Amino acid sequence: MKTASERRAALNRLVESRTVTRVSPPLLLPAGPFFDLAGEEFGRALLLTTASTGIEYCLRPDFTLPIAQTYIEDGLVGVPAAYTYLGTIFRQQDGLPVEFEQAGLELLGQPDAGNALDQVLTFARWALAIYDINAPFVRLGGVGLFESFLAAADISPAWQARIRHRFGHPDAMARVMERLSIPRERNAVEAPDGREAVIEIVTDAMLQGGLSLVGGRTPEEVADRYIEKQALDAAPLSDGTLQLLQDYLEVEDSAPAALDRIWSLTAAAGLDIEEPIQIVRNHAAALQALSPKADVIFDASFSPRLDYYTGVVFEMTNDEGEVLASGGEYDRLLDRLGASQPVPASGCALWVDRLEQEATR
């Protein structure tokens, strides 16, 4: 068994390979991008402070977002780049500040996105091997596969967006599925013509009711929610499509068996999503070859709770379900940070403290 110092030396060698650039983003970062891109749930874990200018900052809670921002700010969009890191992140846990050590790899702008993801999976697997973890539980998900399924199925754009935004959030997805399963009568009242007309009606109603137009939900927000609801009610899913969606989300098995099941379900419904299914198959097979003793499961309902993920995603966990490594493809992040062109991106994060605990058990 390796000593702690030997494991640390091996991990340092992994993150300081000649083919990558090791980086260390600042400890204090603007909090705004984390709220905007990682969402309210992640925002509650931030450790915040406010500058005299009124701008909120946070102790570094993550490496991926600042690395992606720097890549764009340095004018590297369109240039292949590979970054590694090893350092401390800071978050709240049970109301208390906690420090964690993380290591990871981020591959940005690589010409072969599939190969980049396999490199990320290999990096994660090598890292676990340093800590003598040779048979992890691996859970794969397919964000891109699910989006292809939604696009191919008989589902309106409004419902596609609503379902997609709740993908990976079991409680929120359950509420959507419940709403879809309840028959609804069409509203017999003719809706106002156009968004501006709806805003006018809402504004008048708020004023007549003595409600302020500032400090709460604005007339524009209320109007947009009303228009969205009308669009959803006007395009309910058929019973067959709803059942297909439920069957899809319930698929969880060894990767080959799960993907065979999804192919059978979709082919029987006349949907052609063979290409995205094959993409997941290829990565699952590569990962299984890397880790012959690992349990590689495909969970059709699995996705990180960050909606900038786009393709194959994964978690590697211990027997108790603690995440040791996680990541995947996140092409949407660079676009949302203002990249001038699409940038393929793959990466993973390793929870070094948990890896150390596993190695000493």
Side-chain angles (χ1 to χ4, degrees):
M1 179 180 289
K2 307 182 192 75
T3 66
S5 60
E6 288 172 334
R7 291 192 294 270
R8 174 52 58 130
L11 184 60
N12 274 313
R13 287 194 296 272
L14 184 62
V15 300
E16 292 177 357
S17 162
R18 288 177 296 174
T19 60
V20 299
T21 301
R22 182 173 175 177
V23 295
S24 182
L27 290 178
L28 202 59
L29 297 162
F34 290 99
F35 283 114
D36 294 340
L37 296 168
E40 183 178 334
E41 182 178 357
F42 187 84
R44 287 194 290 270
L46 301 182
L47 291 167
L48 300 168
T49 186
T50 304
S52 59
T53 59
I55 298 174
E56 275 194 314
Y57 289 84
C58 61
L59 283 173
R60 183 177 64 205
D62 165 81
F63 282 90
T64 301
L65 195 150
I67 287 173
Q69 279 186 311
T70 301
Y71 172 83
I72 295 171
E73 291 166 0
D74 288 349
L76 295 176
V77 171
V79 178
Y83 302 102
T84 54
Y85 57 85
L86 173 58
T88 307
I89 63 168
F90 306 86
R91 298 185 186 176
Q92 289 193 65
Q93 192 173 76
D94 299 325
L96 298 173
V98 182
E99 299 179 16
F100 300 99
E101 194 169 23
Q102 275 196 350
L105 170 68
E106 310 292 346
L107 298 179
L108 307 179
Q110 300 294 319
D112 187 336
N115 181 61
L117 178 60
D118 284 338
Q119 289 182 53
V120 167
L121 292 167
T122 301
F123 179 92
R125 184 65 197 92
W126 283 351
L128 266 63
I130 289 171
Y131 294 87
D132 298 317
I133 302 167
N134 297 306
F137 177 84
V138 183
R139 182 164 64 147
L140 293 177
V143 178
L145 177 57
F146 185 60
E147 291 177 350
S148 295
F149 167 78
L150 293 178
D154 182 22
I155 301 175
S156 71
W159 273 116
Q160 285 188 44
R162 195 171 186 83
I163 293 167
R164 167 63 188 90
H165 289 155
R166 286 150 182 78
F167 187 49
H169 299 256
D171 293 340
M173 183 65 83
R175 289 193 294 270
V176 168
M177 298 300 290
E178 182 179 5
R179 177 180 174 183
L180 284 166
S181 67
I182 299 172
R184 292 178 177 270
E185 294 183 3
R186 296 288 184 89
N187 191 344
V189 178
E190 185 176 348
D193 185 17
R195 181 173 182 267
E196 293 304 318
V198 177
I199 292 172
E200 283 295 319
I201 292 171
V202 171
T203 301
D204 289 343
M206 290 177 71
L207 291 172
Q208 290 174 14
L211 300 175
S212 173
L213 300 182
V214 295
R217 294 182 68 184
T218 66
E220 289 79 7
E221 290 172 333
V222 175
D224 288 340
R225 179 67 188 91
Y226 171 81
I227 292 168
E228 179 193 26
K229 184 176 183 302
Q230 291 295 108
L232 295 174
D233 287 343
L237 273 64
S238 68
D239 291 343
T241 300
L242 177 58
Q243 185 61 55
L244 180 62
L245 176 59
Q246 290 174 329
D247 291 343
Y248 179 99
L249 291 170
E250 289 173 359
V251 173
E252 182 178 0
D253 204 337
S254 67
L259 294 166
D260 284 347
R261 175 61 179 155
I262 289 173
W263 182 88
S264 297
L265 284 171
T266 54
L271 309 185
D272 181 9
I273 57 170
E274 176 61 33
E275 183 176 348
I277 290 175
Q278 190 59 46
I279 289 172
V280 181
R281 284 189 196 277
N282 292 341
H283 292 300
L287 184 55
Q288 191 71 75
L290 274 171
S291 305
K293 297 180 181 179
D295 290 322
V296 180
I297 302 298
F298 181 81
D299 181 350
S301 67
F302 167 60
S303 173
R305 295 189 173 191
L306 298 167
D307 69 358
Y308 51 71
Y309 279 93
T310 51
V312 176
V313 293
F314 71 93
E315 286 182 344
M316 298 179 180
T317 64
N318 62 13
D319 293 340
E320 285 73 44
E322 286 187 313
V323 176
L324 306 175
S326 63
E329 297 173 292
Y330 56 92
D331 298 357
R332 271 189 286 263
L333 177 59
L334 280 293
D335 177 65
R336 294 183 181 178
L337 288 172
S340 57
Q341 65 187 59
V343 179
S346 295
C348 69
L350 313 168
W351 294 85
V352 178
D353 307 87
R354 296 173 188 171
L355 292 170
E356 282 288 356
Q357 290 172 5
E358 284 296 302
T360 56
R361 286 184 179 181

